[in-house]
Amino acid sequence: MMSNSGGPPNVHGTEPATDEHPHHHMNPMWWRAGVPVLVALIVFFLPTPDGVQDGGMHMLAIFVGTILGLILQPLPTGSVALVGLAVAMITQAMTTQEALAGFSNSTIWLIVAAFFIAEGFIVTGLGTRIALLFVRRIGTSSLGLSYGMAVTDLVLAPATPSNTARAGGVVYPIIRSLSELENSTPESDESRKRLGSYMLLTAMQVNVVTSAMFVTAMAGNPLAQDAARGLGVDISWGKWALSALVPGIVSLIAVPWVMSKIYPPTVKKTPGAPDMAREKLREAGKMKRPEWIMAGTFVLLLVLWIFGDQLNVGATTTAFVGIAILLVTGVLRWSNLVSDKGAWQTLVFFAVLVSMADQLKNLGVIDWIGNGVASGVDGMPWLASFAILTLVYFYVHYLFASNTAQIVAMYAVFLGAAIATGAPPIFSALVFGYIGNLFGGLAHYSSGPAGVMYGSGYIKTSEWFRIGFLMSIVLIAIWTIVGGAWMKLLGDW
């Protein structure tokens, strides 16, 4: 199915295939638009509960309506987000300042910057060169390629506090280059399913695992560590990593394989790939000046991302320094940045959701939900109430546009509720900490890396929801059974 955007091929994920377009089938269009509007209206007129400020339910209504719109897609993603934003402003659920606050969110700009850095890998051919080196080594199958990416992610994880930088700046461009080598582009269903959509969805699920394994592998983890300390539970870097080690490794072995069963690429074997890689590396010859600059910039980015805290340089600052170097040296041109639709599209849609989620917290809606949950499991045996709390904490992430946003809003609420029901404090603090990463692949808006992978245009919204949910069950099973046993052995509970 070709994209019907009329312009360049669908490389930006906004007009996923034709069935998501209004002018093709009017009836589904009314149904797709009607459901979010109806649900939003119902919530809008609910009485305001105690503890929620005036306008809180209005904001919740608009947020729920927008999320449903993103799922059902009566309009392309960016359009749905802007309509939701306009409704929030006109109903005065948000002031203009509050509505646009997300556009100054540094994490969102980090995602946008990651797109531009990825562009540098593609334009210079360095991404292709790195990809070819992988292909030459373990590239005889799509599964082998996936494991190669998983190892890359794991090696970088302990030292990269931005999972978005890892996914967007390192893994994404390599997968993009690999996919293009196999003639897999977002232009048609047949083409994207050859390799790209499998590799990107798998990399996403790998990323949530590597993020969970180290305190320093995701920006929200230190916030969870901090919140736990506030409740009297101290978790060291080593303790976090040790308890996550076994379930983490098992997950990394399982994810690419499970994905190859539930969402198989049409290209299974790539027996010619290593030979082709050798041949192309020969053709490419020695590294050219732009590649060296790109490689040097990339090493600089890694060093600054790793030692950012000590040097007092934020991840987003680092990314922009990288872009500046690439622009000054001529590796990237301004036209490369302007024409990157995926980046700008992601900016709009993430910024809107983050603004809305922040406003829900400010109006007390999040606390109201958290308190409701805590009182709901009162008086049960701790294991039963803990199971309920963890599942709610996991799946309530459908309401959030970032891991960090949910951790800030709900981690302390849920950890406090768990400890109150008699759950072991260190065990509870760690489990909620790990979940704060593992839910990052649920939906195409669930985390920074999800924004990068979705923005590529390789994955349809409906596929993302289906695969995200299936993989959440797999990860919950591994971290409950293997992780639970391992943590019992370590004396965490």
Side-chain angles (χ1 to χ4, degrees):
M1 206 187 305
M2 292 301 289
S3 97
N4 60 345
S5 48
N10 173 20
V11 292
H12 49 284
T14 26
E15 328 232 61
T18 44
D19 61 351
E20 300 189 348
H21 262 268
H23 44 260
H24 285 282
H25 316 286
M26 283 314 280
N27 295 344
M29 160 61 184
W30 289 116
W31 171 79
R32 289 161 191 268
V35 172
V37 171
L38 183 67
V39 174
L41 281 171
I42 292 169
V43 180
F44 195 91
F45 291 110
L46 289 176
T48 306
D50 286 342
V52 174
Q53 293 178 33
D54 289 347
M57 297 315 275
H58 295 174
M59 192 60 239
L60 182 63
I62 295 161
F63 186 74
V64 171
T66 305
I67 294 293
L68 284 172
L70 290 171
I71 296 169
L72 298 172
Q73 296 255 306
L75 293 168
T77 303
S79 309
V80 172
L82 286 179
V83 170
L85 196 65
V87 173
M89 290 194 278
I90 195 71
T91 56
Q92 298 184 344
M94 302 170 91
T95 65
T96 314
Q97 265 68 31
E98 288 164 342
L100 299 176
F103 287 90
S104 63
N105 181 296
S106 62
T107 303
I108 293 168
W109 280 101
L110 177 62
I111 300 169
V112 174
F115 272 96
F116 297 148
I117 292 163
E119 190 86 4
F121 273 95
I122 294 165
V123 175
T124 58
L126 180 64
T128 309
R129 188 184 290 274
I130 294 172
L132 292 169
L133 293 170
F134 269 110
V135 177
R136 197 173 67 182
R137 275 280 129 83
I138 50 173
T140 51
S141 70
S142 45
L143 193 57
L145 295 175
S146 259
Y147 280 116
M149 295 298 103
V151 174
T152 311
D153 198 328
L154 178 63
V155 169
L156 296 173
T160 320
S162 166
N163 57 343
T164 308
R166 207 162 62 241
V170 185
V171 175
Y172 168 68
I174 297 175
I175 290 180
R176 192 68 204 248
S177 305
L178 277 174
S179 303
E180 286 169 9
L181 285 176
E182 286 293 337
N183 293 322
S184 178
T185 67
E187 287 175 47
S188 69
D189 272 5
E190 193 273 328
S191 180
R192 67 187 180 81
K193 284 185 170 168
R194 283 175 64 78
L195 186 64
S197 50
Y198 160 76
M199 290 283 291
L200 286 169
L201 271 175
T202 304
M204 179 65 240
Q205 297 297 334
V206 162
N207 183 273
V208 304
V209 174
T210 58
S211 299
M213 289 175 73
F214 309 95
V215 168
T216 46
M218 200 274 287
N221 291 345
L223 299 175
Q225 193 184 25
D226 212 40
R229 197 175 295 122
L231 291 166
V233 188
D234 253 331
I235 313 168
S236 68
W237 192 98
K239 177 72 210 153
W240 181 299
L242 181 64
S243 296
L245 182 67
V246 174
I249 297 293
V250 171
S251 300
L252 291 178
I253 294 167
V255 165
W257 181 80
V258 173
M259 282 293 300
S260 73
K261 297 294 175 223
I262 61 174
Y263 190 76
T266 52
V267 175
K268 299 277 192 303
K269 291 280 170 239
T270 47
D275 287 338
M276 181 187 72
R278 275 184 211 98
E279 183 52 41
K280 294 219 179 217
L281 283 166
R282 259 202 304 279
E283 279 171 31
K286 290 200 164 61
M287 277 175 62
K288 320 275 186 301
R289 176 179 169 273
E291 284 182 87
W292 281 112
I293 294 171
M294 186 66 222
T297 306
F298 176 55
V299 171
L300 175 68
L301 289 176
L302 279 184
V303 170
L304 288 176
W305 275 328
I306 291 167
F307 300 109
D309 282 355
Q310 292 87 316
L311 300 169
N312 202 15
V313 180
T316 308
T317 307
T318 298
F320 273 92
V321 168
I323 294 168
I325 294 170
L326 297 178
L327 287 170
V328 169
T329 53
V331 172
L332 281 180
R333 297 209 166 88
W334 176 241
S335 57
N336 296 123
L337 274 55
V338 174
S339 59
D340 193 338
K341 289 185 182 172
W344 299 113
Q345 147 114 327
T346 305
L347 169 69
V348 169
F349 127 81
F350 260 61
V352 170
L353 289 181
V354 167
S355 300
M356 289 185 175
D358 283 348
Q359 184 68 347
L360 285 175
K361 180 164 170 51
N362 296 341
L363 293 173
V365 177
I366 304 286
D367 286 343
W368 168 65
I369 295 170
N371 295 334
V373 170
S375 60
V377 292
D378 231 15
M380 297 166 81
W382 80 262
L383 257 176
S385 56
F386 191 71
I388 293 169
L389 286 172
T390 50
L391 283 171
V392 172
Y393 188 67
F394 199 109
Y395 289 110
V396 82
H397 192 62
Y398 279 118
L399 295 176
F400 286 89
S402 93
N403 297 18
T404 309
Q406 181 172 337
I407 291 165
V408 169
M410 307 189 97
Y411 178 87
V413 174
F414 274 74
L415 177 56
I419 294 172
T421 63
I426 185 87
F427 176 69
S428 308
L430 286 167
V431 172
F432 284 114
Y434 299 147
I435 294 172
N437 299 276
L438 297 174
F439 53 37
L442 276 177
H444 59 302
Y445 56 81
S446 292
S447 60
V452 174
M453 304 304 181
Y454 180 69
S456 69
Y458 276 89
I459 305 151
K460 282 166 76 172
T461 314
S462 55
E463 291 171 331
W464 195 299
F465 277 94
R466 182 171 60 86
I467 300 300
F469 181 72
L470 287 172
M471 290 307 292
S472 73
I473 296 169
V474 172
L475 290 174
I476 288 170
I478 293 172
W479 286 74
T480 303
I481 298 162
V482 179
W486 172 242
M487 289 169 81
K488 182 77 173 162
L489 197 68
L490 291 175
D492 294 339
W493 61 289

